[in-house]
Amino acid sequence: MSPEEQFAELMSRPDTEQARQLYERMQARIRAALSERLGLGAWETDPATASEAPCGDFPDVHPFNASTFGMPLWFTMGPLEPEQWQAAKQVLRDVTGEHGFRQVVLDVDGPVSRVFQLSDGKGAAVRLMVNPQDRVVLRVDAGCHLKPEVKRLGRPLNEVEKEQYRQSRHRAGGS
């Protein structure tokens, strides 16, 4: 894809904040459905597990214009018996399928841990895991999205705007 085609593809997607809100709602629906169907306890999150990174799938779009991110992990205590694990996978399919997550990327049903991951085919993934400590963990990683200000502009930042961004970040950092 040319740089222009890459940018056009990203313009067709929600911006990072819109995507974050969509994924927060989706995660909440997944947690509620899993708790209701499997009788799981209260879910907890750790904001420190969130992440942000440049977009590797769109190498010609400058990191000032776009990024990808991982939502904070959500977790609750299991265990999940084998039939519950199958039900949990179906819940994940049902809720995330409405958002385009239909491709099974990983399906591990091991004796110590389990992992089920679905992709939307655009770089985003939803992962449900049961770790060796019987903790049920939910993770959503976004695909690449334009930053809100860039999407509003409808074009990549120019060199002057990039420099202004650098300076504002430098001042905000106190250096």
Side-chain angles (χ1 to χ4, degrees):
M1 255 193 280
S2 72
E4 294 78 17
E5 291 169 324
Q6 290 179 35
F7 192 83
E9 169 61 28
L10 293 175
M11 280 296 293
S12 73
R13 299 178 180 192
D15 68 40
T16 55
E17 289 311 308
Q18 293 167 329
R20 195 175 312 276
Q21 291 170 7
L22 173 105
Y23 293 145
E24 284 172 353
R25 288 190 303 270
M26 184 178 73
Q27 277 185 322
R29 287 186 57 218
I30 294 166
R31 292 190 314 271
L34 287 169
S35 290
E36 180 181 321
R37 179 126 183 231
L38 304 174
L40 296 174
W43 289 80
E44 298 177 47
T45 189
D46 180 357
T49 59
S51 63
E52 188 168 341
C55 298
D57 293 346
F58 293 84
D60 296 322
V61 177
H62 196 280
F64 284 172
N65 296 307
S67 66
T68 184
F69 57 90
M71 300 293 292
L73 294 176
W74 282 89
F75 53 91
T76 188
M77 288 307 296
L80 293 182
E81 299 302 323
E83 62 278 356
Q84 289 178 300
W85 177 243
Q86 294 308 314
K89 289 172 26 176
Q90 190 58 52
V91 165
L92 197 68
R93 285 180 194 269
D94 292 344
V95 175
T96 64
E98 299 171 18
H99 300 281
F101 292 86
R102 294 184 183 93
Q103 180 182 0
V104 176
V105 177
L106 193 58
D107 191 355
V108 176
D109 192 359
V112 178
S113 61
R114 299 178 180 127
V115 182
F116 187 64
Q117 181 172 315
L118 297 169
S119 170
D120 70 352
K122 295 180 179 180
V126 178
R127 185 176 319 120
L128 186 65
M129 302 167 274
V130 179
N131 67 19
Q133 294 77 33
D134 287 331
R135 186 169 287 186
V136 180
V137 182
L138 177 63
R139 171 77 181 205
V140 176
D141 292 309
C144 190
H145 296 273
L146 291 173
K147 294 180 179 176
E149 57 276 14
V150 174
K151 180 128 184 198
R152 278 191 296 278
L153 282 172
R155 62 168 174 75
L157 296 177
N158 62 37
E159 292 306 315
V160 170
E161 292 163 332
K162 287 179 189 175
E163 184 56 35
Q164 290 170 339
Y165 178 82
R166 281 185 198 98
Q167 290 176 5
S168 71
R169 299 288 292 177
H170 183 71
R171 283 191 300 273
S175 302

